Amino acid sequence: MSELQREEMLYDVVIVGAGPAGLSTAIKLKQDNSDLSVCLLEKSAEVGAHILSGNVFETKALDELIPNWKELGAPVKTEVSSEDFLFLSKEKSFKVPNFLLPKALQNHGNYIISLSNLCKWLGEFAENLGVEIFPGFAASKLIYNEKDEVSGVQTGDMGIDKDGNKKDSFEPGININAKVTVFAEGCRGHLGKELIKKYNLSKDKSPQQYGIGFKEIWEVDESQHEEGLVMHTAGWPLDNATYGGSFCYHAENKQIFLGYVIGLDYKNPYLSPYDEFQKFKTHPAIKKILTNGKRIAYGARALIEGGIQSLPTMYMPGGLLVGCDAGTL
């Protein structure tokens, strides 16, 4: 089927990615101008399905975006009650006094949340404002106009076999055109990478750096659960030359969000980030929490680590980069 036979749709704004950045952008646009037509594309089957993070959440941005979020029942309920930072050796742990922790590791007033659940809630909020959300549609290709400006995206073709041939069920992707296209794909989004290269958005910037984060959700024994506790660790099993550490967040319903982050600039060619995470769980301070518990979910994702000096220019003709696509984590 030729390109001329693809269906065309036109919006004021198209947003690629229904993560927190994409959803917040859609909501803010409709709040500022309810007459704008806003389309949001999400590759997963439902909003929130590709959101991995269980995190400690500072509510400042949500306070500004939706001031009455508490009254509206946002899934932001477990306030941080206490926090620990541990340095680990192979068998022992040393707790750093909280007053010595940098401000970034002080979480009084923050909340332990499932970011997936928050995105689901934000998706419903956005739809109630009139945002059109299309889950199950991945933006696979950029569309440029005759002035070489971004003018939209093309969704992926469906019904393609493993060799790239069209099956009987073939359905061509749709050209979704917009006055402005916002890219919120997440870390290392392929469209964002193309735009950064095409428009030289990283000129005079430091190279971006990346990490990998593993996360597991555990349902633990009540005796090992302290709702509201935030714990971070550094040290074992990593050596002093490798950036990384863990998080252990005690959420509601006897669940903990357990994770490990390792910078991908590690020097040891034999290091396996996944194996380091598994080794970490054998430390006495962690093992006792997981004893008699069960893992109910797991996953991994890339993380932006480069910092402000690595941020690309976030705009180009016809488009914007936001969230991890723009390097802002």
Side-chain angles (χ1 to χ4, degrees):
M1 186 169 289
S2 70
E3 293 296 311
L4 295 176
Q5 295 174 289
R6 291 182 184 273
E7 183 180 346
E8 302 266 344
M9 300 177 71
L10 177 62
Y11 291 88
D12 291 316
V13 182
V14 168
I15 302 169
V16 181
L23 288 163
S24 299
T25 300
I27 290 169
K28 185 62 176 175
L29 286 169
K30 292 295 284 187
Q31 287 174 334
D32 286 347
N33 186 348
S34 61
D35 293 330
L36 285 177
S37 58
V38 179
C39 167
L40 200 157
L41 301 177
E42 169 53 40
K43 64 183 177 182
S44 62
E46 62 178 2
V47 173
H50 277 196
I51 301 298
L52 181 64
S53 178
N55 67 357
V56 174
F57 181 65
E58 181 183 343
T59 64
K60 180 179 180 181
L62 186 59
D63 293 336
E64 295 177 359
L65 184 68
I66 308 173
N68 61 335
W69 57 267
K70 286 185 179 181
E71 291 81 359
L72 295 176
V76 180
K77 303 182 184 300
T78 305
E79 191 166 358
V80 174
S81 59
S82 59
E83 49 195 327
D84 293 334
F85 191 99
L86 305 180
F87 276 104
L88 304 182
S89 65
K90 187 172 182 179
E91 297 292 337
K92 297 182 179 181
S93 61
F94 170 73
K95 181 179 177 180
V96 179
N98 287 349
F99 72 88
L100 293 178
L101 295 177
K103 188 174 181 180
L105 289 174
Q106 296 178 11
N107 292 289
H108 178 75
N110 295 338
Y111 291 78
I112 299 170
I113 69 165
S114 163
L115 197 58
S116 173
N117 289 340
L118 180 60
C119 284
K120 291 176 184 176
W121 184 84
L122 288 173
E124 294 173 359
F125 189 92
E127 286 186 313
N128 289 335
L129 292 177
V131 177
E132 296 184 34
I133 300 179
F134 298 144
F137 288 87
S140 64
K141 184 179 178 181
L142 290 161
I143 301 174
Y144 301 100
N145 62 22
E146 64 279 357
K147 297 180 182 178
D148 212 24
E149 301 168 333
V150 178
S151 62
V153 293
Q154 186 180 106
T155 63
D157 295 336
M158 299 181 182
I160 303 290
D161 66 21
K162 64 180 181 179
D163 298 316
N165 300 314
K166 299 174 184 176
K167 300 191 291 187
D168 292 340
S169 59
F170 175 77
E171 289 287 342
I174 301 170
N175 287 343
I176 303 183
N177 300 302
K179 298 174 183 176
V180 176
T181 307
V182 180
F183 298 89
E185 305 166 277
C187 181
R188 291 182 60 79
H190 74 287
L191 300 181
K193 287 166 62 179
E194 178 181 330
L195 292 167
I196 290 171
K197 182 177 180 180
K198 178 180 177 64
Y199 293 107
N200 199 19
L201 302 180
S202 287
K203 182 181 179 182
D204 300 326
K205 306 292 183 179
S206 296
Q208 188 57 265
Q209 300 178 44
Y210 299 94
I212 185 168
F214 300 94
K215 175 197 166 183
E216 296 179 348
I217 301 177
W218 283 72
E219 192 173 281
V220 299
D221 189 89
E222 189 171 358
S223 64
Q224 297 299 327
H225 186 253
E226 185 181 337
E227 185 172 315
L229 170 63
V230 166
M231 186 172 76
H232 294 96
T233 76
W236 189 88
L238 299 180
D239 58 35
N240 293 334
T242 305
Y243 168 79
S246 81
F247 60 86
C248 180
Y249 304 151
H250 291 240
E252 55 190 347
N253 301 320
K254 294 189 297 184
Q255 291 185 358
I256 64 168
F257 303 145
L258 183 70
Y260 209 78
V261 174
I262 296 179
L264 291 178
D265 57 351
Y266 53 83
K267 305 297 189 296
N268 180 1
Y270 300 103
L271 185 147
S272 164
Y274 173 79
D275 289 338
E276 296 301 296
F277 178 37
Q278 301 311 309
K279 193 186 301 181
F280 156 77
K281 290 189 292 183
T282 69
H283 191 280
I286 307 303
K287 185 176 181 180
K288 69 176 183 180
I289 299 173
L290 304 181
T291 300
N292 299 323
K294 62 179 180 179
R295 187 179 68 179
I296 58 178
Y298 59 92
R301 61 159 291 186
L303 299 167
I304 294 287
E305 301 281 1
I308 192 169
Q309 68 273 13
S310 300
L311 297 181
T313 301
M314 298 180 191
Y315 58 91
M316 74 292 300
L320 296 169
L321 300 173
V322 300
C324 290
D325 235 354
T328 59
L329 193 60

